[in-house]
Amino acid sequence: MKKDKKFSGYSGFVSNDESLLITMSRNTVYVNSLITKKLLLKTKSVKNIDMVTISPDNSLIAAKSTIGEIALINAKTGEEICMDRMEKSQGELMYFTSDSSRIVDLDWNGKVMLFDCAAKTHSILDDSKILERCAYIQYDPFSNRIYRFMAERFGNSPGIVQVAIPDEKFLDKEHFKYTTAQTFTTHLPSCVPHHPSLCKEHNFWYDVRADKIIVCDKDFKEIDSFKIPPSKSVTEFFSDFWVSPNEEYLFINYGKQCDPETSNTEYDNIPSLSILYDMKTLKPIKEFTYDYVSDFTMYNDDKNYIIGTWRGTFVGEVDSTE
C-alpha cells in the first residue's frame, strides 16, 4: 500500500486548477505542488494564521489571522504585498473573485466584507442582523452562494438559512442581498462541531437529535437522510464528517479511541481513528490513524484525498495499491 505524502502545515487549500496545495502553520505559509509533491515556496506571514486561500490565477495568496487581519502575498516570491486589519473579527474562509482582483471575507458574526487587492482597502458589503445571532456563515464555491444560518436565540434554536448569490459586476452594499432559503422551526442544521458539508450537487449536515446525516438540495431543503455507518470505533461520538465534492465518499473522524475520562498522561499514546466510506454502499474503503484531524477534502474527481491535521497535511490516493 502506497504511503500518504506528508506536507508541512495544516488545513490545506487546493488551487482552482488543482495543481497547488496551500498549507499553513502558526506564522508560515507553504505552497506545495500536487503534481510533483514538492515544496515550492515557504514564507512568513501574519501571526496566528487561521486560514489561507489562493487566487484563481495562482498569483496571490491571502492569509488570515485569528483576529481577522488579512495579508496579501505574492504567490511566486512570497513577498507580502500588504496587510489589512479588516474589521478585527474572527471568521470563516475568505475567497477571491474570479478575476483575482478582490477578496470576499466572512466573519463569525455574519458580516460580509470586500477587500480590493489593487486599492489595498476594504469595505463592508453586509452587516445586517435580522435574528438574534449568526450561528454560522460559509461560502459554497460550487453554487457561488453565501449561506448564513441565523438563530432566534443562543443555544440549540429555531432559525433560518439565508442565501446570497454575489454578482461580481455589482459587488457593493447596495446590491448585496440575502433571501431566506429555508425556515427551521425546531433547530437549525448543526454547525459546530459537525459543520455542513457543501458539495457539487447537494449539501449535507448532521442532525444530532435524529442521529442522521441529512441530504439537502442547494436551498437546504431535505431530500434524504441516512444513519452513520457502523464502525470499529470504540467511541460512539465522532468528531466530524466530510462528504467529497463529487459525493463519492464519506470521511468520518472518530478521534481518540478512548473514554473521555482518560487522563492527560495517557491521552497522547492512544490511537485515533478516521474512516473513508463509499457513499453508495456505506462500506469502509480506508482507515487512518492520524491524530487531531481538522480538515478533509478530495480532488481529481474524488480520486485523491487531503487530510489536514494539527501535525501536518497528508495527501494520498483512494486506489493506492502498488
Side-chain angles (χ1 to χ4, degrees):
M1 192 76 71
K2 188 185 294 184
K3 289 184 63 176
D4 294 346
K5 170 67 177 178
K6 183 179 180 180
F7 292 94
S8 297
Y10 52 90
S11 293
F13 183 87
V14 180
S15 61
N16 280 17
D17 63 4
E18 299 188 339
S19 67
L20 301 175
L21 172 68
I22 317 303
T23 57
M24 60 190 178
S25 59
R26 193 166 64 91
N27 66 347
T28 305
V29 175
Y30 308 87
V31 180
N32 310 281
S33 170
L34 284 172
I35 311 301
T36 65
K37 303 296 191 296
K38 293 183 178 179
L39 176 68
L40 301 178
L41 179 70
K42 174 182 176 182
T43 185
K44 298 289 185 181
S45 186
V46 292
K47 293 181 180 179
N48 301 317
I49 302 173
D50 194 36
M51 296 171 186
V52 289
T53 188
I54 189 167
S55 60
D57 64 3
N58 292 348
S59 67
L60 298 170
I61 293 170
K64 183 176 179 178
S65 74
T66 53
I67 62 170
E69 58 192 357
I70 291 179
L72 190 66
I73 301 166
N74 184 309
K76 306 300 180 185
T77 66
E79 176 187 3
E80 183 179 294
I81 298 168
C82 65
M83 192 274 285
D84 192 298
R85 298 297 298 274
M86 302 301 286
E87 296 296 301
K88 302 179 183 178
S89 53
Q90 291 179 304
E92 299 302 327
L93 183 65
M94 61 283 181
Y95 71 93
F96 280 89
T97 54
S98 60
D99 63 0
S100 303
S101 69
R102 292 164 294 175
I103 298 169
V104 179
D105 187 30
L106 315 171
D107 80 4
W108 287 349
N109 293 319
K111 190 186 291 103
V112 181
M113 296 157 282
L114 183 71
F115 178 77
D116 189 308
C117 298
K120 301 179 177 62
T121 58
H122 81 273
S123 58
I124 296 175
L125 293 180
D126 181 87
D127 195 17
S128 60
K129 187 179 180 181
I130 65 169
L131 292 178
E132 175 65 25
R133 70 184 182 96
C134 173
Y136 192 69
I137 188 168
Q138 186 176 3
Y139 174 66
D140 177 10
F142 303 116
S143 64
N144 187 36
R145 297 177 178 209
I146 294 174
Y147 292 106
R148 190 169 71 160
F149 299 76
M150 297 299 295
E152 291 183 0
R153 58 182 181 270
F154 283 84
N156 200 344
S157 162
I160 61 174
V161 176
Q162 294 180 294
V163 174
I165 304 178
D167 183 344
E168 293 188 3
K169 295 180 180 179
F170 303 101
L171 268 180
D172 55 51
K173 197 165 189 175
E174 179 183 355
H175 292 91
F176 187 93
K177 303 293 182 185
Y178 280 109
T179 59
T180 298
Q182 290 296 325
T183 298
F184 290 84
T185 56
T186 56
H187 59 287
L188 277 169
S190 303
C191 297
V192 179
H194 312 295
H195 63 285
S197 194
L198 309 181
C199 303
K200 290 182 178 179
E201 297 295 329
H202 302 96
N203 297 335
F204 300 80
W205 63 279
Y206 177 65
D207 189 331
V208 178
R209 296 183 181 187
D211 189 28
K212 290 182 177 180
I213 291 180
I214 309 299
V215 186
C216 300
D217 65 13
K218 282 299 180 179
D219 284 325
F220 271 89
K221 180 181 179 181
E222 182 177 344
I223 57 177
D224 200 359
S225 65
F226 60 91
K227 286 278 191 180
I228 297 293
S231 74
K232 58 185 281 186
S233 174
V234 301
T235 62
E236 292 185 6
F237 173 82
F238 68 95
S239 296
D240 223 331
F241 83 98
W242 292 264
V243 178
S244 62
N246 287 347
E247 304 176 23
E248 301 225 1
Y249 299 99
L250 168 68
F251 180 86
I252 296 180
N253 173 30
Y254 293 95
K256 289 286 189 179
Q257 296 297 286
C258 64
D259 188 290
E261 303 298 323
T262 302
S263 67
N264 291 337
T265 54
E266 299 175 297
Y267 193 76
D268 281 346
N269 295 321
I270 294 172
S272 294
L273 175 67
S274 298
I275 300 178
L276 185 68
Y277 295 92
D278 183 297
M279 275 288 282
K280 291 181 180 178
T281 64
L282 292 182
K283 292 183 178 179
I285 301 297
K286 271 193 172 185
E287 294 184 2
F288 307 89
T289 57
Y290 299 132
D291 286 334
Y292 311 112
V293 172
S294 58
D295 200 10
F296 176 86
T297 191
M298 299 187 77
Y299 68 101
N300 189 23
D301 291 328
D302 286 2
K303 295 182 180 68
N304 297 77
Y305 53 79
I306 299 171
I307 302 174
T309 81
W310 295 357
R311 295 176 175 173
T313 297
F314 298 85
V315 176
E317 303 171 18
V318 176
D319 298 319
S320 60
T321 53
E322 293 185 299

